[in-house]
């Protein structure tokens, strides 16, 4: 019997080759897209799961109340890690973590990479797999360094790196104490080298006992079985007594939550995803598969309705209802299985392009039982969904009515097929409208007036190898550099430096406001074309004992309640008194995901070392200007590689998630429409064949071709318009 069913199924596929090809094509495209999206969703949820004790690992997050708004910050004070481990027995291990983009020198050769400062416990907390060296003794010395396989190849080549000296430019020499495997791509942090946290003292003159400095991450490992919520309750007020006037509490974020649940947190140099985007991707996968299944169901039911005589003869010959049902379900499952095979070929072909668009590294693991479970589930879902209706409907018909031709008046329940077309195109229009909305958001981001002009401005970092004034004077000699400004290592549109201990005349008792702080020079307003609303900008590049001045933005002036802020005094937590000399128009110094905060702009301290230099360049002169900056570096023996970046590019990087979503919806909306039209073409062609006699009679009676064409398309055009009317308010909602 099974052999007969299989032979009949193949015969029907050959009998209707065009419809079979359309059916398999539409279904396989839908399946391929759904599988690609589900692979990406799985990849997003795989972040940090390779750590064997990930359930016990947590990152400490600071929650601050600023001007009545709660802010979450991932950066924590230096001594927090050791204080937590020493004071709370539930905490087994703790480690600070901070990374830098560093230049490593080896004679005349320079290699760049990410250097992370950690504590010894870091090696035990995370899955750090040693290839060479001993985990027990690594990082015990203040100048030990652990490097990845990739860094070992780039810096040492074929040499054995163990015990060799490695120089962090310009003169920090470390001894290689171990070589570890590269950190997997699906990790929220990334690194090329590990050194002890004490290196922070030389890197930025940090005091590791100072609770006022919050520039590193704190990770802890709880004893297995301990309830993190109870620990969180115990430690949340640890800063009280450590910091005068502190208004922040701390809470714990599990390691597995960091990648997808850190949106809205301030965290530098980590790979961040977005749980909302992942959920939307899963929903899109389901909708694409639904569109493909509806398309398949429509074509399959229409095609099956052309087999009424076959069904009638089978019933007269003694075939029961169950056999008819099995026959149609079997044919449906066979077609779906063929579509799955084609879909897997498409997935293999499209995967590199998909990874490029989605900025991921998803792959197919043919050894995974889960993959085959998903494919079998898709076959059963699509096959049974598409085959059940025609099987139940056609098997319920009476053979006498079939053979008399009474069922040809309404073959296969055309009304049900029209409903499926409406559902299919409604979903497709939803994709199109959502795509247009996302594109409009991206256009808004690109064209939004930020209050700051970043066009033609680039930046680079410099270290203690050259004085700021010397560098300023050398660069000012180049006529292609229209203006330049420097900051104390602060980004233009990602500046999270804050101060919560600001005082001013008339401040209400107990009022807590978190101010943004920008340390810069007198040319910042000129370089970025800030609008001065009142007074003037800074008059000096560096603060001195006789000159402490400040500029505030409109938001800060509003919070301070000054009618005329010029000449008013604000006092920092360290006791320095700054005279307000100007007010600038509010500008975005964070991404558009955040509202504009109150901002205080002050000159850089004379003791500050290095920083970021921003230069406004004549249009079309960027390449020659970069060469000039390199020549200045060479003249002053600054032989590390110059990393020159566009500020506009940095700004766009903050919206990478939105850009990915825009691309994803755009491509998938196009393909959803393609699948829908494939089904509509097949359905229209099948209906046209069924109405051949009617068309012939109309032509004999004088109907023109245009009238026949209008007759054939008007029903489906109505369905498409109905779909649009339904989809529009749903998409708006």
């Amino acid at each position: 019997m099974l052999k007969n069913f299989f032979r009949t199924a193949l015969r029907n596929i050959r009998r209707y080759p065009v419809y079979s090809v359309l059916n398999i094509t539409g279904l396989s495209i839908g399946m391929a897209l759904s599988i690609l999206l589900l692979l990406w969703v799985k990849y997003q949820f795989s972040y940090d799961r390779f750590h064997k004790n990930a359930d016990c690992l947590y990152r400490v997050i600071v929650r601050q109340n600023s001007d009545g708004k709660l802010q979450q910050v991932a950066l924590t004070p230096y001594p927090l890690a050791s204080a937590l481990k020493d004071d709370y027995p539930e905490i087994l291990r703790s480690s600070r973590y901070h990374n830098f983009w560093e230049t490593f020198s080896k004679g005349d050769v320079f290699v760049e990479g990410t250097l992370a400062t950690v504590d010894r416990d870091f090696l035990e907390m995370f899955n750090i797999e040693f290839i060479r060296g001993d985990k027990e003794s690594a990082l015990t010395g203040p100048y030990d360094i652990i490097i990845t396989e990739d860094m070992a190849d780039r810096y040492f080549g074929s040499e054995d790196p163990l015990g060799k000296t490695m120089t962090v430019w310009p003169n920090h020499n470390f001894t290689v104490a171990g070589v570890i495997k590269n950190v997997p791509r699906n990790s929220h942090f990334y690194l090329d080298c590990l050194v002890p946290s004490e290196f922070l003292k030389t890197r930025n003159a940090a005091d590791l006992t100072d609770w006022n400095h919050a520039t590193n991450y704190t990770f802890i490992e709880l004893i297995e079985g301990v309830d993190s919520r109870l620990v969180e309750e115990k430690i949340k007020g640890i800063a009280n007594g450590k910091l005068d006037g502190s208004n922040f509490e701390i809470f714990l974020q599990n390691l597995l939550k960091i990648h997808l649940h850190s949106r809205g947190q301030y965290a530098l140099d980590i790979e961040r995803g977005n749980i909302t985007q992942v959920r939307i991707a899963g929903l899109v996968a389901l909708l694409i598969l639904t569109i493909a299944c509806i398309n398949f169901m429509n074509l399959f039911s229409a095609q099956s309705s052309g087999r009424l005589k076959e069904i009638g003869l089978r019933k007269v010959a003694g075939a029961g209802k169950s056999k008819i049902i099995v026959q149609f379900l079997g044919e449906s499952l066979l077609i779906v299985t063929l579509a799955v095979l084609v879909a897997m070929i498409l997935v293999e072909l499209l995967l590199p392009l998909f990874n490029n668009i989605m900025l991921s590294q998803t792959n197919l693991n043919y050894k995974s039982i889960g993959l085959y479970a998903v494919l079998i589930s898709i076959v059963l879902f699509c096959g049974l969904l598409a085959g059940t209706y025609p099987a139940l409907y056609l098997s319920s018909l009476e053979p006498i009515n079939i053979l008399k031709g009474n069922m040809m008046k309404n073959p296969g329940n055309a009304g049900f097929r029209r409903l499926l077309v409406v559902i299919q195109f409604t979903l497709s229009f939803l994709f199109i409208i959502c795509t247009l909305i996302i594109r409009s958001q991206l256009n808004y981001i690109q064209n939004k007036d930020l209050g700051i002009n970043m066009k033609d401005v680039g930046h680079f970092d410099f270290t203690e190898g050259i004085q700021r004034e010397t560098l300023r004077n050398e660069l000012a000699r180049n006529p292609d550099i229209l203006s330049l400004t420097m900051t104390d290592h602060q980004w233009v549109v990602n500046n999270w430096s804050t101060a919560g201990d600001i005082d001013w005349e008339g401040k209400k008792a107990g009022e807590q406001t978190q101010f943004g702080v920008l340390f810069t020079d007198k040319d910042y307003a000129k370089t970025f074309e800030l609008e001065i609303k009142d007074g003037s900008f800074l008059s000096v590049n560096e603060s001195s004992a006789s000159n402490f001045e400040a500029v505030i933005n409109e938001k800060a002036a509003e919070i301070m309640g000054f009618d005329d802020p010029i000449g008013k005094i604000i006092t920092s937590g360290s006791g320095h008194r700054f005279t307000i000399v100007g007010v600038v128009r509010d500008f975005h110094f964070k991404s558009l995901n955040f509202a504009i905060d109150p901002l205080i702009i002050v000159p850089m301290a004379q003791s500050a070392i290095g920083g970021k230099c921003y230069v406004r360049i004549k249009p079309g002169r960027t390449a020659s200007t970069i060469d000039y900056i390199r020549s200045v570096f060479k003249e002053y023996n600054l032989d590390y590689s110059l990393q020159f970046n566009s500020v506009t590019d940095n700004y766009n990087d903050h919206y990478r998630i939105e850009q990915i979503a825009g691309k994803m919806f755009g491509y998938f909306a196009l393909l959803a429409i393609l699948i829908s039209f494939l089904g509509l073409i097949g359905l229209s062609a099948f209906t046209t064949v069924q109405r051949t006699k009617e068309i012939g009679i109309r032509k004999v009676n004088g109907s023109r071709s245009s009238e026949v064409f209008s007759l054939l398309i008007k029903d489906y055009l109505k369905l498409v318009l109905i779909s649009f009317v339904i989809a529009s308010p749903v998409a708006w909602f």
Side-chain angles (χ1 to χ4, degrees):
M1 184 178 69
L2 290 176
K3 183 178 180 181
N4 180 56
F5 284 166
F6 187 73
R7 185 187 298 116
T8 304
L10 291 178
R11 184 185 299 127
N12 279 293
I13 291 175
R14 290 195 298 268
R15 182 183 175 187
Y16 304 106
V18 174
Y19 310 118
S20 298
V21 169
L22 288 174
N23 229 337
I24 293 174
T25 301
L27 191 56
S28 59
I29 291 175
M31 287 178 174
L33 298 179
S34 298
I35 291 170
L36 286 170
L37 277 175
L38 292 175
L39 285 173
W40 183 79
V41 169
K42 179 177 178 292
Y43 176 76
Q44 292 296 309
F45 279 111
S46 73
Y47 268 72
D48 296 309
R49 292 189 182 275
F50 59 90
H51 297 292
K52 61 180 182 295
N53 54 344
D55 291 336
C56 299
L57 295 175
Y58 293 84
R59 184 175 68 172
V60 179
I61 302 295
V62 173
R63 181 186 287 134
Q64 296 173 308
N65 190 316
S66 175
D67 194 29
K69 297 181 296 184
L70 282 178
Q71 292 184 336
Q72 294 182 4
V73 181
L75 298 180
T76 55
Y78 288 134
L80 179 61
S82 55
L84 289 173
K85 181 182 176 181
D86 293 341
D87 297 345
Y88 300 94
E90 300 91 344
I91 298 175
L92 182 63
R93 299 183 181 93
S94 67
S95 176
R96 287 163 288 195
Y97 177 87
H98 192 84
N99 62 10
F100 311 91
W101 184 257
E102 287 285 6
T103 299
F104 302 85
S105 59
K106 185 181 182 183
D108 295 332
V109 178
F110 295 90
V111 176
E112 293 177 328
T114 304
L115 181 143
T117 59
V118 298
D119 296 313
R120 272 278 313 151
D121 279 351
F122 187 87
L123 302 180
E124 298 295 335
M125 295 167 64
F126 298 93
N127 275 25
I128 305 297
E129 190 173 344
F130 276 71
I131 299 172
R132 300 185 63 80
D134 180 19
K135 179 189 289 189
E136 301 301 322
S137 60
L139 297 188
T140 53
Y143 293 102
D144 282 355
I145 188 170
I146 298 171
I147 60 177
T148 61
E149 293 176 275
D150 179 61
M151 177 56 77
D153 290 339
R154 287 190 287 139
Y155 191 90
F156 292 102
S158 59
E159 296 180 57
D160 180 3
L162 209 60
K164 298 260 188 336
T165 298
M166 191 172 181
T167 302
V168 178
W169 193 92
N171 54 12
H172 302 295
N173 294 319
F174 288 86
T175 301
V176 179
V179 179
I180 60 175
K181 284 191 173 182
N182 295 329
V183 177
R185 180 66 181 79
N186 55 341
S187 171
H188 84 273
F189 52 67
Y190 47 91
L191 53 91
D192 295 303
C193 308
L194 290 168
V195 298
S197 288
E198 284 70 19
F199 180 60
L200 289 169
K201 296 178 181 178
T202 58
R203 178 63 173 77
N204 57 9
D207 179 1
L208 302 186
T209 64
D210 187 356
W211 282 82
N212 288 294
H213 283 83
T215 57
N216 67 269
Y217 307 108
T218 297
F219 289 93
I220 65 171
E221 179 182 353
L222 300 182
I223 294 175
E224 190 172 353
V226 170
D227 189 339
S228 63
R229 291 171 296 181
L230 298 178
V231 176
E232 188 175 79
E233 188 64 28
K234 291 179 67 174
I235 68 176
K236 69 178 182 180
I238 190 173
N240 297 335
K242 307 288 186 181
L243 290 169
D244 293 335
S246 168
N247 72 329
F248 74 72
E249 296 179 338
I250 64 176
F251 65 99
L252 303 180
Q253 182 181 32
N254 184 256
L255 183 70
L256 299 179
K257 299 281 188 180
I258 292 176
H259 175 64
L260 292 177
H261 298 271
S262 295
R263 196 73 168 160
Q265 293 177 4
Y266 174 48
L268 292 171
D269 299 329
I270 67 167
E271 179 74 24
R272 269 184 291 190
N274 187 330
I275 186 61
T276 301
Q277 185 185 11
V278 173
R279 288 169 178 162
I280 289 174
L283 179 61
V284 169
L286 180 61
L287 292 179
I288 288 283
L289 191 60
T290 301
I291 290 173
C293 284
I294 290 174
N295 182 65
F296 174 51
M297 186 190 307
N298 235 337
L299 281 175
F300 188 73
S301 60
Q303 185 178 337
S304 300
S305 66
R307 298 166 60 185
L308 293 173
K309 288 185 178 180
E310 174 195 336
I311 295 167
L313 291 173
R314 283 180 177 275
K315 285 202 165 189
V316 169
K321 183 176 180 179
S322 60
K323 289 186 178 181
I324 302 293
I325 292 174
V326 171
Q327 173 70 50
F328 280 98
L329 289 179
E331 290 182 19
S332 175
L333 290 170
L334 176 62
I335 295 174
V336 172
T337 302
L338 292 175
V340 165
L341 295 176
V342 176
M344 292 306 294
I345 295 173
L346 291 175
V347 169
E348 284 285 4
L349 295 174
L350 294 174
L351 196 55
L353 176 62
F354 178 80
N355 281 331
N356 184 51
I357 293 172
M358 302 296 284
L359 301 179
S360 66
Q361 291 184 349
T362 57
N363 58 73
L364 280 170
N365 180 12
Y366 289 103
K367 296 181 180 179
S368 170
I369 297 177
L371 174 63
Y372 298 103
V374 169
L375 295 179
I376 292 172
S377 299
I378 290 176
V379 169
L380 293 176
F381 174 76
C382 297
L384 295 177
L385 181 66
T388 298
Y389 170 73
L392 293 177
Y393 173 74
L394 296 174
S395 64
S396 65
L397 301 178
E398 293 297 330
I400 187 66
N401 291 328
I402 295 174
L403 295 178
K404 284 184 176 181
N406 294 336
M407 305 306 302
M408 296 304 293
K409 297 176 182 178
N410 185 23
N413 198 339
F416 180 71
R417 292 204 300 274
R418 291 191 182 96
L419 175 63
L420 292 179
V421 170
V422 170
I423 295 173
Q424 187 180 34
F425 273 91
T426 298
L427 294 176
S428 298
F429 281 126
L430 278 174
F431 274 116
I432 293 173
I433 297 170
C434 289
T435 300
L436 295 176
I437 291 171
I438 293 175
R439 290 295 172 87
S440 68
Q441 287 284 65
L442 291 174
N443 289 334
Y444 175 83
I445 290 169
Q446 294 294 330
N447 300 314
K448 167 70 175 173
D449 180 12
L450 302 175
I452 186 170
N453 185 5
M454 300 178 293
K455 187 179 179 182
D456 298 320
V457 179
H459 72 90
F460 60 89
D461 291 320
F462 63 98
T463 64
E464 66 269 25
I466 186 171
Q467 295 296 319
R468 286 195 293 265
E469 287 305 314
T470 302
L471 179 60
R472 193 190 315 273
N473 293 334
E474 291 290 344
L475 296 182
R477 289 161 53 186
N478 188 329
D480 292 334
I481 297 178
L482 302 178
S483 63
L484 66 95
T485 185
M486 298 179 186
T487 67
D488 188 10
H489 300 283
Q490 290 167 303
W491 299 91
V492 171
V493 288
N494 192 30
N495 178 17
W496 284 81
S497 296
T498 60
D501 49 1
I502 302 297
D503 200 5
W504 62 90
E505 182 183 347
K507 181 180 179 181
K508 297 177 182 177
E511 183 176 351
Q512 293 287 346
T513 301
Q514 202 74 16
F515 289 85
V517 181
L518 172 61
F519 298 94
T520 185
D521 56 30
K522 63 182 182 181
D523 292 319
Y524 191 90
K526 175 185 176 183
T527 302
F528 288 105
E529 301 179 2
L530 302 184
E531 181 182 343
I532 309 297
K533 301 292 289 187
D534 195 7
S536 60
F537 201 69
L538 302 175
S539 63
V540 294
N541 292 326
E542 297 178 348
S543 58
S544 62
S546 61
N547 194 330
F548 281 96
E549 58 187 32
V551 173
I552 61 176
N553 66 353
E554 293 173 296
K555 182 70 174 178
E558 177 188 339
I559 289 175
M560 292 177 180
F562 294 143
D563 294 330
D564 181 13
I566 306 303
K568 294 294 192 295
I569 303 298
I570 56 177
T571 306
S572 69
S574 59
H576 291 112
R577 292 165 56 84
F578 292 85
T579 302
I580 299 175
V581 297
V583 179
V584 297
R585 174 194 169 197
D586 285 340
F587 65 94
H588 288 271
F589 56 94
K590 299 177 186 175
S591 78
L592 292 175
N593 293 310
F594 302 91
I596 296 177
D597 289 330
L599 177 68
I600 300 174
I601 304 173
V602 296
M604 286 182 288
Q606 290 179 332
S607 59
I609 297 174
K612 290 186 182 296
C613 182
Y614 295 88
V615 293
R616 178 171 291 281
I617 303 170
K618 284 184 180 179
R621 303 295 296 170
T622 301
S624 60
T625 303
I626 293 174
D627 290 338
Y628 176 78
I629 297 172
R630 285 200 176 100
S631 70
V632 172
F633 275 32
K634 188 173 183 180
E635 181 181 348
Y636 286 87
N637 295 318
L638 304 178
D639 290 329
Y640 59 87
S641 177
L642 174 69
Q643 293 292 316
F644 190 92
N645 298 293
S646 164
V647 176
T648 302
D649 289 343
N650 292 148
Y651 172 75
N652 291 333
D653 284 344
H654 291 298
Y655 307 101
R656 187 178 63 177
I657 290 176
E658 287 81 359
Q659 291 165 358
I660 291 174
K663 289 180 181 179
M664 178 181 72
F665 267 95
Y667 288 119
F668 282 77
L670 178 64
L671 292 169
I673 287 293
L674 174 62
I675 294 170
S676 298
F677 274 110
L678 282 175
L680 195 56
I681 290 169
L683 201 57
S684 302
F686 200 90
T687 305
T688 302
V689 171
Q690 287 186 325
R691 299 175 67 177
T692 302
K693 288 184 180 180
E694 176 192 346
I695 294 169
I697 294 171
R698 288 179 180 275
K699 295 282 283 185
V700 168
N701 289 326
S703 293
R704 296 190 300 272
S705 296
S706 59
E707 292 175 332
V708 174
F709 177 75
S710 174
L711 176 70
L712 293 174
I713 70 165
K714 68 178 182 180
D715 288 341
Y716 290 112
L717 187 59
K718 288 178 183 176
L719 298 179
V720 173
L721 291 175
I722 291 171
S723 300
F724 179 75
V725 171
I726 296 173
S728 297
V730 174
W732 175 85
F733 176 77

